[in-house]
Amino acid sequence: MEREQALFLSKKIENLRSAEYEIKKLETVNGTLPKFHQWTNGKTTLAAFEVNRPSTETGCYLLFIDWHRKGIYYLVIYAYDKSTTLAELRQVQDIDGTPHIIWSYKPFKRDGKNDQRKAYFKQMFGSTSVQIPFPASETDVDDFLAQLFKLCQNRIKADQIVNVFEL
């Protein structure tokens, strides 16, 4: 996504006052996020947040970062334990006059079962492609975050589905 789009989304999240989410902005130093994860070291970071959803006891980190150092910003979602990324969102498409983040489920596990994962994701969630509209107003930010959380939960379920079938 473009820098301006990443700034727009990060400001919406930073200004959110929500009963559903607890948001803590992480401190950046000289435009980077030090001591977060080895994959983020030295990369330009516009903003980063710890986001908790107490009602479901879930949380994650949202980073607006130049992920590949090419001037293209990503919304990278890290697992709450910082062990891995759950989604790396960069593609933005205008749909009916509203910008949407577009993400496709493409598993890259090395166990030969990625076709099963994709089939499960498509069967359960209707498509392997997810479209999340940018929040148009402050009241839309809760829904935006809910859709990000849902994307991550669905991805985790699909990634682990082969374990369920093997039982």
Side-chain angles (χ1 to χ4, degrees):
M1 75 180 68
E2 296 173 12
R3 185 177 199 278
E4 294 74 29
Q5 293 169 320
L7 284 170
F8 173 84
L9 289 173
S10 67
K11 289 293 182 197
K12 291 284 188 188
I13 292 168
E14 183 177 358
N15 294 329
L16 179 65
R17 301 297 170 250
S18 172
E20 183 71 22
Y21 297 95
E22 295 173 351
I23 297 172
K24 176 184 171 192
K25 187 171 184 183
L26 304 180
E27 185 178 342
T28 56
V29 177
N30 297 324
T32 64
L33 189 62
K35 299 178 185 176
F36 181 81
H37 189 278
Q38 64 186 7
W39 296 341
T40 65
N41 289 342
K43 295 179 180 176
T44 302
T45 305
L46 298 176
F49 304 93
E50 178 182 348
V51 182
N52 290 301
R53 193 177 197 182
S55 64
T56 59
E57 297 182 357
T58 55
C60 64
Y61 291 92
L62 305 179
L63 281 57
F64 292 90
I65 187 169
D66 185 354
W67 195 234
H68 294 289
R69 296 184 172 110
K70 294 182 178 182
I72 299 168
Y73 287 85
Y74 284 66
L75 168 50
V76 176
I77 305 173
Y78 265 88
Y80 198 68
D81 64 3
K82 300 180 188 175
S83 62
T84 191
T85 61
L86 299 174
E88 299 165 12
L89 312 166
R90 72 162 177 82
Q91 186 180 355
V92 175
Q93 184 178 338
D94 224 31
I95 301 173
D96 296 327
T98 302
H100 286 65
I101 291 176
I102 308 298
W103 180 82
S104 295
Y105 180 66
K106 296 176 188 171
F108 293 108
K109 308 288 184 201
R110 296 182 181 152
D111 60 4
K113 299 177 182 177
N114 290 328
D115 287 341
Q116 286 175 276
R117 289 181 179 94
K118 283 178 75 171
Y120 173 81
F121 195 96
K122 187 173 185 176
Q123 179 183 356
M124 295 306 293
F125 312 116
S127 172
T128 56
S129 181
V130 176
Q131 302 172 348
I132 302 173
F134 275 41
S137 68
E138 302 305 322
T139 58
D140 296 333
V141 181
D142 269 356
D143 187 50
F144 177 78
L145 292 175
Q147 290 184 59
L148 292 178
F149 271 70
K150 182 179 178 184
L151 179 155
C152 293
Q153 291 165 350
N154 292 349
R155 183 208 169 152
I156 291 167
K157 284 179 190 174
D159 283 354
Q160 296 174 346
I161 196 62
V162 294
N163 300 335
V164 172
F165 290 139
E166 290 177 353
L167 295 177

